[in-house]
Amino acid sequence: MNKPKIVILGAGYGGIITSKKLEKLLKSGEADVTLINKHEYHYITTQLHKTGAGTAADRQIAMEIPELINPEKTNFIKGSVTGVDVKKQAVHLEDGQTVKYDYLLIALGFDIETFGIPGIEEHAFAIRSFRSTKAIYNQIIRQLNQYKEDKDSSRLTFVVAGGGFTGVEILGELAEGLPKLCKKYDVPFEEVKIVAVEAAPSVIPFFPKESIKYTTEVLEKFNIDMYMSTKIVECTPRKVVLENDIEIPTCTLIWSCGVKGNPIIQNCGLPVEKGKLPIDSYLRVKGMKNIFSIGDCSLFMKDEKNTLPPTAQVALHEADVCAKNIVAALRGGSLKAFEYHHKGSVASIGNFAAVGKVGNFRLSGLFAAFMKQVIEARYLLNLGGPSLIIKQHFGVSKEPV
Ligand code: FAD
Ligand code: NAD
C-alpha cells in the first residue's frame, strides 16, 4: 500500500514546529513528510528587528532548515509555492514542480499590510522576512556612506511607521544600533534623527496606560521624535508625507503598520475570509477533511466576534495540536479541538528595556528585557535543543555587526 503523503507549506514557526512534532509522533514508515519553504533557512521572525538595525549576527536570526530537521524523517524542498490544486491534491511550485499530498498543512505566514497607501509598496522598507530586514540594514549603511559624500542630512533621518509592538521593537534597536554604526562608518551620530509616526494617540495603544507611559518615556530618552495621532499618507524615494501636509525629508521609511495573511492563499481554491483561511476548531480549513492551516495565514475564531491575533505564540500552540490532529486523521482516530491559552506578551525596546503583560501583571524595565530573552531562548531550545542555543550565541558570525 502507498504511504500517505503529508505536505507542509512554510517553515516558519507553525510549519517547522509541526514537522518536528510529526518526526516524534509518526511511527517509522507510517507516512512521507515533505516540508516546503521559499528559502533554505528558517528565520526567527520575532527577532527580525535586530537584523534590520544590525544588532544581531545573521546566524542568530537565520538557520539552515536541513540542520533543524531529521532528513531521514522529513524531506525538505526549497521552493516557492504558487498555488494549490485541491481537486488533484497537488501543490504547485514556481519552478514548475508539482508535489502531491494526502494531507496538507498551509502555514505560509504573513505579508505586510500597506492599506494601498501610495508609494509604500515601492519605496518603504518592510519588516517581512530575513531578506527584507537585511535590505533595511543595507539601506542604513548605504545612507551613512552617501552622507559622507553629499552631506545631505535627510539621509540620516530614519522614519518608523506604526507604533505597535513591531514599531516599538525596531525603534529600540535603531536607537541602540545607530550610534555604533555611526562610529564604525565615521558619521556624527548627533546628525541622526529617528522619527516615530503612529496613527493612534500613543504607541502600543492596546496596552495599559502605565505601559504606554513607560514605553513613551524610554523612546523619548532615546531622543526619538514622536508624531502621534498622525497617519502616513504617502512615501516617495526622498520624503514621507503625513496627514496635515507635514513632510519629512528622508530616504528610509521602515513600515510596521500591521500584517495580513500571505496573498498566495488566494490561489489555493479554498475559502478565504478577511484575507486568511478560515479554520475549524480542529485547525482544518473550513469544509476540508485533509487540509489544515495554522499561524498568520489562518483565521481562528476564538468566539463569535473575535479572532486569534497573528503571533508566534498562537502559531506555536497551534503547531502542537495540528501535528497530533494530522496523525489522528491519517490513523482514523478522533481529532482534538484547539483551545488557546494566552501566556502574555513582552516587547523589547532595545536590549535593556522591555514592556509586557503576563496575566494581570505588568512588566517593564530590565526584568521584562530578561523575560523576553528567556522566551526567545525557550523557542531555540524547542527547535534544536541546548546545542542550538550555544551555536546561535557562540558560533562564528558571518556578518560584522
Ligand atoms: P512565518 O513565521 O511568517 O513563516 C512563514 C514561512 O513561510 C516563512 O518561512 C516563509 O519564508 C515561508 N513562505 C512564505 N511564502 C512562501 C511561499 N510562497 N512558498 C514557500 N514558502 C513561503 N509574535 C509573538 O508571539 N511574540 C513576539 O515577540 C513577536 N515578535 C515579532 C517581532 C517582529 C519584528 C515581527 C515582524 C513579528 C513578531 N511576532 C511576534 C509575530 C510572529 O513573528 C508571527 O505571528 C509568526 O512569525 C507567525 O508564524 P507563521 O508560522 O504563521 O509564519
Ligand atoms: P499592529 O497592527 O499591532 O500595529 C500597527 C500600528 O500601526 C497600529 O498601532 C496602527 O495604529 C499603526 N498604523 C496603521 N496605519 C498607519 C499609518 N498609515 N500611519 C501611521 N501609523 C499607522 O502591527 P505590528 O506591530 O506589525 O504587529 C503585528 C503582529 O505581530 C501583532 O499581532 C503583534 O502582536 C505581533 N507582534 C508581537 C510582538 C511581541 O509580542 N513582542 C512583537 C512584534 C509583533
Side-chain angles (χ1 to χ4, degrees):
M1 205 179 83
N2 278 345
K3 274 192 271 177
K5 294 182 179 58
I6 302 170
V7 175
I8 300 171
L9 310 184
Y13 285 81
I16 201 147
I17 294 297
T18 305
S19 72
K20 289 190 67 78
K21 302 241 170 218
L22 286 175
E23 287 177 359
K24 287 197 182 132
L25 292 169
L26 289 167
K27 291 183 200 132
S28 167
E30 194 177 5
D32 285 329
V33 181
T34 301
L35 174 65
I36 303 176
N37 196 64
K38 220 181 200 171
H39 312 289
E40 67 278 12
Y41 52 83
H42 164 77
Y43 48 80
I44 309 289
T45 313
T46 59
Q47 299 277 295
L48 282 179
H49 46 289
K50 290 184 181 278
T51 305
T55 48
D58 287 0
R59 65 156 202 284
Q60 291 174 303
I61 312 294
M63 41 210 87
E64 300 290 316
I65 291 169
E67 289 176 19
L68 298 173
I69 56 173
N70 179 344
E72 282 171 17
K73 294 187 172 185
T74 308
N75 170 38
F76 172 62
I77 298 179
K78 175 182 175 284
S80 196
V81 176
T82 52
V84 175
D85 186 331
V86 173
K87 277 194 188 136
K88 293 189 177 152
Q89 300 203 157
V91 173
H92 297 298
L93 305 187
E94 201 174 48
D95 62 5
Q97 266 192 86
T98 296
V99 183
K100 302 277 279 177
Y101 67 85
D102 297 299
Y103 296 91
L104 181 67
L105 167 60
I106 304 177
L108 290 169
F110 69 95
D111 199 352
I112 56 153
E113 181 59 90
T114 63
F115 306 105
I117 297 172
I120 301 301
E121 201 63 64
E122 302 87 327
H123 309 301
F125 290 81
I127 305 183
R128 178 196 279 126
S129 62
F130 180 66
R131 197 175 277 187
S132 82
T133 40
K134 275 308 276 187
I136 296 176
Y137 176 71
N138 293 334
Q139 165 73 358
I140 293 172
I141 304 303
R142 209 165 33 240
Q143 294 313 306
L144 297 183
N145 280 325
Q146 287 190 3
Y147 171 81
K148 287 198 284 191
E149 308 271 307
D150 61 17
K151 296 284 181 286
D152 176 348
S153 62
S154 70
R155 298 196 182 282
L156 300 186
T157 298
F158 300 97
V159 181
V160 173
F165 279 155
T166 305
V168 164
E169 290 197 325
I170 185 79
L171 284 165
E173 293 308 312
L174 288 174
E176 279 189 12
L178 276 166
K180 290 177 197 144
L181 288 174
C182 283
K183 198 168 173 206
K184 181 169 172 187
Y185 288 90
D186 197 19
V187 167
F189 177 65
E190 309 77 69
E191 301 296 319
V192 168
K193 262 194 214 158
I194 305 174
V195 182
V197 184
E198 164 58 52
S202 73
V203 291
I204 52 167
F206 43 82
F207 242 37
K209 266 190 201 150
E210 295 83 350
S211 309
I212 293 175
K213 185 169 173 278
Y214 170 80
T215 307
T216 307
E217 280 169 7
V218 175
L219 295 176
E220 282 171 354
K221 264 194 205 141
F222 280 137
N223 280 328
I224 291 171
D225 293 348
M226 314 264 272
Y227 289 84
M228 298 295 111
S229 301
T230 311
K231 265 191 194 150
I232 286 184
V233 293
E234 195 190 346
C235 175
T236 77
R238 300 308 304 254
K239 69 175 185 225
V240 168
V241 185
L242 313 185
E243 49 186 1
N244 308 330
D245 293 333
I246 299 169
E247 292 188 355
I248 304 177
T250 179
C251 302
T252 316
L253 172 65
I254 300 172
W255 190 253
S256 51
C257 286
V259 298
K260 60 182 181 185
N262 188 330
I264 294 290
I265 59 154
Q266 316 270 353
N267 308 339
C268 294
L270 290 165
V272 175
E273 269 176 44
K274 297 181 182 169
K276 296 183 174 192
L277 296 168
I279 52 176
D280 65 16
S281 54
Y282 303 109
L283 307 174
R284 296 176 302 198
V285 176
K286 278 195 179 155
M288 309 301 300
K289 288 261 180 287
N290 62 338
I291 304 183
F292 294 76
S293 182
I294 59 173
D296 285 8
C297 69
S298 67
L299 188 76
F300 185 94
M301 298 304 295
K302 78 177 167 184
D303 52 43
E304 271 181 20
K305 281 192 190 148
N306 301 299
T307 59
L308 286 181
T311 65
Q313 192 179 156
V314 169
L316 292 172
H317 197 159
E318 287 177 335
D320 188 40
V321 175
C322 187
K324 289 178 185 145
N325 282 350
I326 292 173
V327 174
L330 72 84
R331 287 180 187 163
S334 22
L335 275 57
K336 184 180 166 194
F338 174 72
E339 276 176 45
Y340 177 63
H341 304 288
H342 185 63
K343 290 183 186 141
S345 317
V346 186
S348 64
I349 324 171
N351 254 315
F352 306 102
V355 62
K357 197 164 165 263
V358 178
N360 287 328
F361 294 102
R362 277 184 291 108
L363 312 175
S364 60
L366 252 186
F367 177 68
F370 172 71
M371 286 303 290
K372 176 77 178 155
Q373 307 251 3
V374 171
I375 296 166
E376 296 296 341
R378 243 185 100 215
Y379 176 63
L380 289 181
L381 201 63
N382 265 337
L383 187 62
S387 60
L388 184 63
I389 299 186
I390 293 165
K391 197 167 145 203
Q392 292 313 100
H393 287 273
F394 304 106
V396 179
S397 176
K398 285 183 194 158
E399 271 298 310
V401 285

